[in-house]
Amino acid sequence: MYTERVMDHFNCPRNMGEADGYNAEGTVGNAKCGDIMRMTMRIEEGVIKDVKFKTFGCGAAVATSSIATEMVMGKTVEEALALTNKAVVEALEGLPPQKIHCSVLAEEAVKAAIEDYNRKKP
Ligand code: FES
């Protein structure tokens, strides 16, 4: 049912926890399944130097948040804002249709953290 890549990110999540000295955070949730995803980032001069996640949710949510952190690490905030849930699903080599909303959560968490950064910017 799940691709090897999903299982890999679920079993060995990358970048789990809280980014050291983070200056951006975003928490999003899905009202239907109750899953919650939190992303923290340390952004310096518009570049994501560190990003970590904590996900209270299903295995697909863990896998999508894990791969999403890898996809935006080292990117500019503009590049990271262009991340789509479709790209996350492709990077995981697919998700079952009933799990697509988990990838939406990953996209939303990245965007929420960057919005927070933009809000706090002097
Ligand atoms: Fe809702 Fe996965 S079941 S995020």
Side-chain angles (χ1 to χ4, degrees):
M1 172 171 171
Y2 287 115
T3 65
E4 264 179 43
R5 205 142 168 77
V6 172
M7 292 313 293
D8 176 33
H9 277 268
F10 170 63
N11 286 318
C12 307
R14 293 14 164 221
N15 305 311
M16 202 157 60
E18 209 161 69
D20 260 356
Y22 68 85
N23 54 359
E25 61 182 310
T27 302
V28 294
N30 182 294
K32 276 198 187 138
C33 64
D35 290 0
I36 296 169
M37 197 181 282
R38 177 167 185 259
M39 246 178 226
T40 50
M41 297 179 180
R42 194 179 73 252
I43 303 173
E44 292 170 12
E45 293 172 14
V47 176
I48 300 168
K49 297 287 188 180
D50 194 16
V51 49
K52 291 204 164 56
F53 79 93
K54 276 186 185 168
T55 291
F56 183 79
C58 73
V62 171
T64 56
S65 31
S66 168
I67 204 156
T69 60
E70 283 194 330
M71 292 170 86
V72 300
M73 186 82 78
K75 297 273 165 67
T76 66
V77 290
E78 290 80 15
E79 287 167 337
L81 277 176
L83 182 80
T84 62
N85 80 296
K86 194 166 169 275
V88 170
V89 173
E90 278 169 13
L92 286 171
E93 293 161 2
L95 272 178
Q98 68 272 27
K99 289 289 176 181
I100 295 295
H101 78 272
C102 317
S103 64
V104 173
L105 222 48
E107 176 189 329
E108 287 176 352
V110 167
K111 292 195 167 137
I114 293 174
E115 274 163 25
D116 180 52
Y117 169 75
N118 283 334
R119 232 187 345 259
K120 289 177 183 161
K121 236 179 10 188

